[in-house]
Amino acid sequence: MIIGIGFDDPFLVGLIGVGLLFAMVLLGVRIVYAASIVGLLGLVELLGWGPAAGIVGTVPHSKSSTYALSVLPLFILIGFLAFHAGMTQQLFDAARKWIGWVPGGLAVATVFATAGFAAVSGASTATAAVFARVAIPDMLKYGYDKSMAAGVVAAGGTLASLIPPSAILVIYAIIVEESVGALLLAGFLPGLVSALIYAAIIILWAKVKKDVGPPVSGFTFGERVRSLPGIMPIFAVVVIIITAIYGGWATPTEAGALGAAIVLLMAVWRGVRAPSIRDALMETAKLTAMIFAMIWGVLIFVRFLGFSGLPEAFTQWVLSLDADPMVIMICILLAYAVFGMFMDAIGMLLLTLPVVYPAVIALGFDSIWFGIIVVKMAEVCLITPPIGLNCFVVNGVRPDIPLTTVFRGIILFFIADVITIGVLVAFPEIITFLPELLL
């Protein structure tokens, strides 16, 4: 006994630590502080002050200074530079002119525009914030229901979690020591499937309730063609990044740096000046610092779990269950759905994967397949109450739309996400096809 808990069994100390962590999170303590405090206290109880202080003092730096993590700020910077260069507005305008004629056309256009922006951004909250400014005014102008307009922006932002370059896929890869390149490639088709299911459910709903999303027409073929050059830079950056990574002549970090440099040059060429570039850099720094702080705090907690033996015990317990592995997997996904109601996506993955991942692999599931599924579950967490971070972002940008209206608008997209997860579980080849083909 070191700090007075009085338990000799490390496993019991680990259970108490997990319970204390979730209690603190439910009370509103930020994950970075809750994980750090519980991890430190747990390590002190198990190892003593000296070894615990050594771990807490060195682990965050040693892990966060890894080369793989350097890709995060670069992907985030690409998105903010693209926004300040006006590329997002042109992307939405092109989507509106080509797709606006279908029922719910502007909402469908928003889905594909957010998917396009996700391919250069990698940050869900940034995507939601950008399109709350760009797409919602147009939808409201054409008589769209407020809940539909806000819901599609909040849900569309989640596509950045899957479509490469995705920050959260990079975090998953680092936690489980999986290939960053393989995971980014694996997210492409599931991201496209998710966008298509969003679009299909919008069109069906707009046909049933014609007042929620009227079509927008009147654009000539010439206007549509003239809208294409403005979006070419975004697709050019995506092609360059993907080609660099999977052509083998650049690491994900080098490809991210190349993409950021190209977008910066495009922004300057389009007339973006120093104040806007400074804003993009500051927004990137703030978001990066937030993500890294969460990683630091959770790494301390993860070390505590490792010394408690809880991950190994959980794995053995799962393997001892007399149930089909897929049934166990569905139960794990349902547990993620519950956790996501009270935790943000990155924090949820950081806290649960050290315990859950070994059991999942022991059951025989593919690491890359599970990564895409669990990140898709994290997408759902970004729009489900009471946390629903993307919903809060939309409400923050558009305070005239009440938070309850935003949450009402995501019901449709929650159903779409459930369908998408079912499709990905039933047809795992959607996830594994591209990595197996190219790698």
Side-chain angles (χ1 to χ4, degrees):
M1 181 177 72
I2 304 297
I3 61 174
I5 294 178
F7 295 115
D8 295 326
D9 185 0
F11 176 75
L12 184 56
V13 176
L15 284 179
I16 293 173
V18 171
L20 180 59
L21 175 68
F22 280 104
M24 293 176 72
V25 170
L26 290 175
L27 289 173
V29 180
R30 291 185 180 274
I31 288 177
V32 58
Y33 303 125
S36 301
I37 292 170
V38 174
L40 173 60
L41 294 179
L43 286 169
V44 170
E45 175 65 22
L46 294 175
L47 305 176
W49 280 106
I55 291 172
V56 172
T58 58
V59 166
H61 174 266
S62 64
K63 292 296 183 180
S64 62
S65 61
T66 57
Y67 178 72
L69 268 177
S70 60
V71 73
L72 286 176
L74 294 170
F75 284 168
I76 294 170
L77 177 60
I78 290 173
F80 282 119
L81 285 173
F83 167 66
H84 285 283
M87 297 180 188
T88 50
Q89 182 65 58
Q90 292 178 322
L91 190 62
F92 177 70
D93 288 341
R96 177 183 60 179
K97 290 174 181 176
W98 283 93
I99 310 173
W101 58 273
V102 303
L106 288 184
V108 176
T110 300
V111 167
F112 288 108
T114 53
F117 183 68
V120 295
S121 170
S124 295
T125 52
T127 304
V130 165
F131 281 90
R133 298 185 182 99
V134 171
I136 289 180
D138 260 25
M139 284 189 276
L140 297 183
K141 174 184 173 182
Y142 284 97
Y144 274 61
D145 181 73
K146 278 188 176 182
S147 62
M148 167 69 86
V152 71
V153 169
T158 67
L159 295 174
S161 296
L162 276 184
I163 297 176
S166 163
I168 197 168
L169 279 176
V170 173
I171 292 171
Y172 173 88
I174 291 167
I175 295 172
V176 305
E177 299 181 352
E178 184 55 80
S179 165
V180 173
L183 275 162
L184 292 178
L185 188 60
F188 183 78
L189 286 181
L192 180 60
V193 169
S194 188
L196 290 172
I197 291 176
Y198 277 170
I201 205 164
I202 289 170
I203 292 171
L204 289 174
W205 187 244
K207 283 186 174 182
V208 173
K209 295 193 67 176
K210 300 186 183 301
D211 57 329
V212 299
V216 176
S217 57
F219 299 109
T220 66
F221 183 75
E223 289 176 314
R224 292 172 178 166
V225 172
R226 286 192 293 273
S227 70
L228 295 179
I231 66 173
M232 287 301 107
I234 288 180
F235 289 101
V237 171
V238 174
V239 170
I240 289 170
I241 290 176
I242 298 298
T243 303
I245 294 175
Y246 304 112
W249 54 271
T251 65
T253 299
E254 292 166 345
L258 178 61
I262 292 172
V263 174
L264 176 61
L265 292 175
M266 290 178 179
V268 173
W269 180 71
R270 287 168 175 254
V272 176
R273 295 296 176 252
S276 295
I277 294 175
R278 182 191 62 212
D279 290 343
L281 291 171
M282 286 301 296
E283 289 165 337
T284 299
K286 290 176 182 177
L287 186 55
T288 302
M290 181 192 75
I291 292 174
F292 271 63
M294 292 176 63
I295 293 173
W296 295 335
V298 172
L299 284 173
I300 296 171
F301 181 75
V302 167
R303 277 303 175 94
F304 159 57
L305 287 182
F307 281 104
S308 73
L310 195 60
E312 294 84 356
F314 179 77
T315 300
Q316 294 303 317
W317 175 74
V318 168
L319 292 176
S320 69
L321 296 176
D322 186 19
D324 185 271
M326 185 54 70
V327 173
I328 298 174
M329 173 59 68
I330 292 172
C331 291
I332 290 174
L333 296 181
L334 291 175
Y336 270 111
V338 175
F339 291 155
M341 296 175 66
F342 306 100
M343 303 169 66
D344 66 274
I346 294 176
M348 182 181 70
L349 293 188
L350 287 170
L351 291 176
T352 59
L353 283 175
V355 175
V356 173
Y357 178 78
V360 168
I361 299 305
L363 287 171
F365 291 103
D366 181 74
S367 173
I368 292 177
W369 175 84
F370 178 66
I372 299 301
I373 294 294
V374 79
V375 167
K376 182 60 188 176
M377 289 301 302
E379 283 189 9
V380 178
C381 302
L382 288 169
I383 59 173
T384 50
I387 300 298
L389 189 57
N390 276 19
C391 297
F392 282 93
V393 168
V394 172
N395 173 250
V397 175
R398 294 296 306 244
D400 57 308
I401 302 178
L403 189 59
T404 52
T405 302
V406 182
F407 278 125
R408 191 170 69 249
I410 60 92
I411 294 175
L412 199 65
F413 302 98
F414 176 79
I415 296 170
D417 281 336
V418 172
I419 295 171
T420 301
I421 293 169
V423 170
L424 296 179
V425 169
F427 303 99
E429 298 82 7
I430 296 173
I431 296 172
T432 59
F433 173 72
L434 284 180
E436 290 176 354
L437 178 67
L438 299 181
L439 299 178

